[in-house]
Amino acid sequence: MKCITIVGARPQFIKAATISRVLRCTPAVTEILVHTGQHYDSYMSDVFFEELEIPQPDYHLGIGSGTHGSQTGKMLEAIEAVLIQEQPNLVLVYGDTNSTLAGALAGAKLHIPVAHVEAGLRSFNRKMPEEINRILSDHSSDLLFAPTETSVKNLLHEGIPENKVHLVGDVMYDAALYYENLADTHSQILSKLKLSPKGYILATIHRAENTDDSARLHAIFQGLMQVAQEIAVVLPLHPRTRQALKRENLFSKVSEFLLLIEPVGYLDMVMLEKNARLIATDSGGVQKEAFFYRVPCVTLREETEWVELVEMGWNCLAIPSNPTWVKTCILNCLDQTSGVHPEVSFLYGTGKAAQLTVTILIQH
C-alpha cells in the first residue's frame, strides 16, 4: 500500500508523528510525506521534525502564507500534481487546516480514498475557517477516524454512513504519553526561563477571531496583563499574534508585563504545559493537552470543539469581551482541581489510537 500523508501546520506534525511511526514499521506499506509549507519557519516547522523524529518530507510544496482562498487553491493544485505523479492507494489528512482541506479535495477529485484523522469535531461556529475545513474534509473522506464518542455522534448526525466512521481515540494522547518522559530529560525550558513548577500561567493566542478583532485582542491582553500582576504569565508568541500586537500598538506594553518568548518546540511546550498552574488558550490542541496533564484550562473563545472537557468541568470557556472578565475567569480557575473520575480517564482512548488507525487502514 502506498500512502500519501499531507501535513502543513504544527498540530499536524504531532499527529502525523504518531501514525507515521507505526506506518513505517508496517510491512508492505510505503508512506510518502508531503509538507505544504503552511507553517514554514524553523520555530513553526523544522524543530518539530527534529524533535518528533519525523522523516524529512518527500515533497515540500513551499506554499507559505496567504489568504484562505489563495493558500488553499495553491495547495490543491500542488497536491494534485503529486498525487497524479505518485498514484497512491490512500491520502491521509489530519485536523482542520487549509492543508487538510486541500489534501482531502485533491484526493476526492482524483477518486483516491481519503482518510481523515481527528474527524467529527464541531464547534458549530461556521465563522471559524477551521469549522469549514473540518466539515468539508469529513464529507470528502472515505475513512473517518474519530477521537471521541461526541465526534462519532456528530458525523452520524450529518448523515455520514456508519461503516465509514471509526472510533479510535486521539493520536495526540498517544503523543503525550510517548514524548512526556523525553521532555522531562531533554527540555531545559523551565531553567532557561527561570520558572518554578506551578509558579506561572501559560498562555497561547493565535486564532484569527482573536488576533484580527481589535476589541477582543485588547480585552485578552489587557486581561492577561492584569493577571500578570498576581502571577507570572508566559506566552510563546505566534507570528500572527506578534503582528497583531504591533498593529494595535500593544506590543511594547504587553512586553513589560508578560514573558513573551518565541514559539517553542513540542518537548519544551510539553514541559511548559505540565508544569503550569493554569493554561489560558484559544488552541484546540492545547485544551486537550491541559487535560492530559491535569492542568486547569481557560479557553478564550465563545465555543470549543472539545465540548466534553467543558461538560465535565475540566475546561472553562471565557468569551473575551472585556479585560475584567478575562482576568476574573482566569483567577477564579487558578486552583481548580478535580480527582480523575474513571469515566474521564480514557476520554481520548488508551494511547493506542495510532496502532488502531493503521490496522483499519490496512484492512481497508
Side-chain angles (χ1 to χ4, degrees):
M1 180 180 77
K2 182 189 285 188
C3 169
I4 285 192
T5 294
I6 310 291
V7 296
R10 285 166 52 122
Q12 293 166 328
F13 305 149
I14 300 167
K15 299 178 185 101
T18 62
I19 290 182
S20 290
R21 189 181 305 111
V22 180
L23 281 175
R24 289 169 188 260
C25 293
T26 303
V29 173
T30 300
E31 183 189 34
I32 296 172
L33 187 62
V34 177
H35 187 338
T36 65
Q38 183 171 343
H39 283 172
Y40 47 85
D41 65 29
S42 59
Y43 289 115
M44 303 290 283
S45 176
D46 295 349
V47 66
F48 281 78
F49 279 78
E50 295 165 9
E51 290 185 346
L52 303 179
E53 299 178 333
I54 305 172
Q56 287 302 303
D58 299 283
Y59 292 88
H60 199 304
L61 306 182
I63 302 300
S65 58
T67 63
H68 286 289
S70 172
Q71 188 182 62
T72 307
K74 290 175 182 177
M75 289 176 182
L76 179 57
E77 181 180 18
I79 293 169
E80 181 183 62
V82 173
L83 297 183
I84 291 172
Q85 178 176 328
E86 292 290 346
Q87 293 293 304
N89 305 102
L90 179 78
V91 175
L92 187 58
V93 297
Y94 296 83
D96 56 17
T97 71
N98 290 340
S99 300
T100 312
L101 178 58
L105 289 176
K109 286 176 176 291
L110 291 172
H111 308 294
I112 301 169
V114 176
H116 185 200
V117 174
E118 201 178 75
L121 301 189
R122 297 293 182 267
S123 67
F124 302 101
N125 177 4
R126 292 205 175 197
K127 291 182 179 180
M128 291 175 58
E130 295 88 351
E131 185 77 353
I132 301 302
N133 290 343
R134 292 177 195 130
I135 293 170
L136 295 179
S137 297
D138 283 340
H139 286 265
S140 301
S141 297
D142 301 276
L143 288 168
L144 298 101
F145 294 107
T148 64
E149 292 280 3
T150 301
S151 54
V152 170
K153 291 175 183 176
N154 289 337
L155 294 170
L156 299 181
H157 180 72
E158 291 176 10
I160 292 178
E162 189 172 358
N163 64 345
K164 289 187 174 184
V165 180
H166 302 273
L167 176 61
V168 295
D170 196 322
V171 293
M172 287 192 71
Y173 185 47
D174 293 23
L177 295 176
Y178 185 87
Y179 291 106
E180 183 176 9
N181 290 336
L182 197 62
D184 288 338
T185 56
H186 285 74
S187 175
Q188 303 296 319
I189 191 72
L190 296 187
S191 58
K192 178 181 177 182
L193 299 179
K194 299 179 180 177
L195 296 172
S196 301
K198 306 306 177 185
Y200 61 92
I201 288 172
L202 175 66
T204 75
I205 303 296
H206 77 281
R207 286 193 181 271
E209 65 198 73
N210 286 330
T211 61
D212 295 353
D213 185 312
S214 177
R216 290 173 77 114
L217 189 76
H218 278 265
I220 289 169
F221 279 93
Q222 289 173 11
L224 288 174
M225 285 190 287
Q226 292 176 24
V227 170
Q229 297 179 49
E230 302 193 29
I231 181 172
V233 177
V234 181
L235 193 147
L237 196 56
H238 191 284
R240 178 193 293 148
T241 313
R242 181 184 293 273
Q243 292 173 1
L245 290 174
K246 290 183 176 180
R247 180 193 71 225
E248 297 293 326
N249 297 314
L250 277 171
F251 185 80
S252 295
K253 189 68 172 177
V254 169
S255 300
E256 295 177 16
F257 287 87
L258 274 57
L259 178 55
L260 301 181
I261 62 176
E262 294 292 338
V264 297
Y266 182 65
L267 299 183
D268 282 344
M269 191 63 176
V270 167
M271 285 300 287
L272 287 172
E273 288 172 339
K274 66 185 292 189
N275 287 286
R277 187 166 163 191
L278 177 139
I279 294 173
T281 186
D282 60 8
S283 162
V286 173
Q287 292 173 48
K288 285 186 300 175
E289 287 167 340
F291 170 74
F292 297 158
Y293 302 121
R294 303 301 191 254
V295 175
C297 182
V298 172
T299 296
L300 296 166
R301 287 166 49 187
E302 295 183 20
E303 71 290 300
T304 177
E305 52 275 25
W306 302 105
V307 293
E308 57 277 351
L309 294 179
V310 176
E311 292 169 352
M312 294 184 175
W314 287 98
N315 189 359
C316 172
L317 284 177
I319 301 173
S321 54
N322 63 74
T324 302
W325 181 241
V326 170
K327 173 189 174 182
T328 299
C329 289
I330 291 174
L331 293 182
N332 283 349
C333 292
L334 261 185
D335 295 311
Q336 180 183 14
T337 57
S338 297
V340 183
H341 192 278
E343 72 178 73
V344 303
S345 295
F346 300 112
L347 189 59
Y348 296 106
T350 60
K352 302 294 184 183
Q355 184 63 62
L356 183 53
T357 297
V358 172
T359 298
I360 294 169
L361 289 176
I362 298 299
Q363 292 171 347
H364 176 78

